[in-house]
Amino acid sequence: KQMIAYNPNSDAFLLANAGDYFPTDLQFLAFEQGVHSRHAAVFPSWGDGVGKQGVTLGAIKADPWSPDFASVWSYGTEDGGPDKLYFARISKDAAFLQQPAEVFQNMTGTEIGGNLAPLAEGRWLIAYTHAETDVITDYMKVIFDTWQVPREVRIGGSRLAIVNSEGELLGDPVDISALGAPFPVEINHLVQRPDGFGWIFIDGPGSDFVKIARLKCTRR
């Protein structure tokens, strides 16, 4: 799986690659002023060489208050453990600023389809889909457009959470499924807006319409 972001503060791109048909570890590589970084931050993963792999798609976003980046992704162990969401900050030189942190390590269930956005300096908003049981049982599915996630998870699993710059959870996750605007699992389109955040979604396979959801944030 591949992720990429650009930070104007450092004029640098950060690319993450976990392979696809020949999956491997998740590697973060930097491109600054047209120069490829010689070293990469590496998150150990697994793959069987024919498509199955432990890392599913996440996202990278630029830190607007620094030259660096932050990223989230999901990882499931090769022995069939549930997919858990990880967070890390990465420098413009493709080095981990701290070791990747499992965000919900004290909670049961699985977290997939993650994205993030800067909320305030030192705080990040994470959008993801939660399920009580592991819903990606065949890792070959993650190289296709649909992961065959059950409909009840798609419409009822959307969550928001806030973490600090170390990936530590601040408060409890918020269930936003009641809004009727679920996060797309395979490609989560969370973006920052002038007055909050937004994402696009469809009502389900075969839908003729794309809808836009907006979430306004107020300071408390």
Side-chain angles (χ1 to χ4, degrees), residues 28-41:
F28 293 88
L29 300 169
F31 295 84
E32 185 178 2
Q33 298 181 350
V35 179
H36 185 288
S37 61
R38 295 185 178 183
H39 304 285

Side-chain angles (χ1 to χ4, degrees), residues 111-128:
E111 307 97 31
I112 56 176
N115 203 333
L116 77 167
L119 187 61
E121 188 169 3
R123 294 191 175 193
W124 293 84
L125 181 70
I126 296 178
Y128 65 99

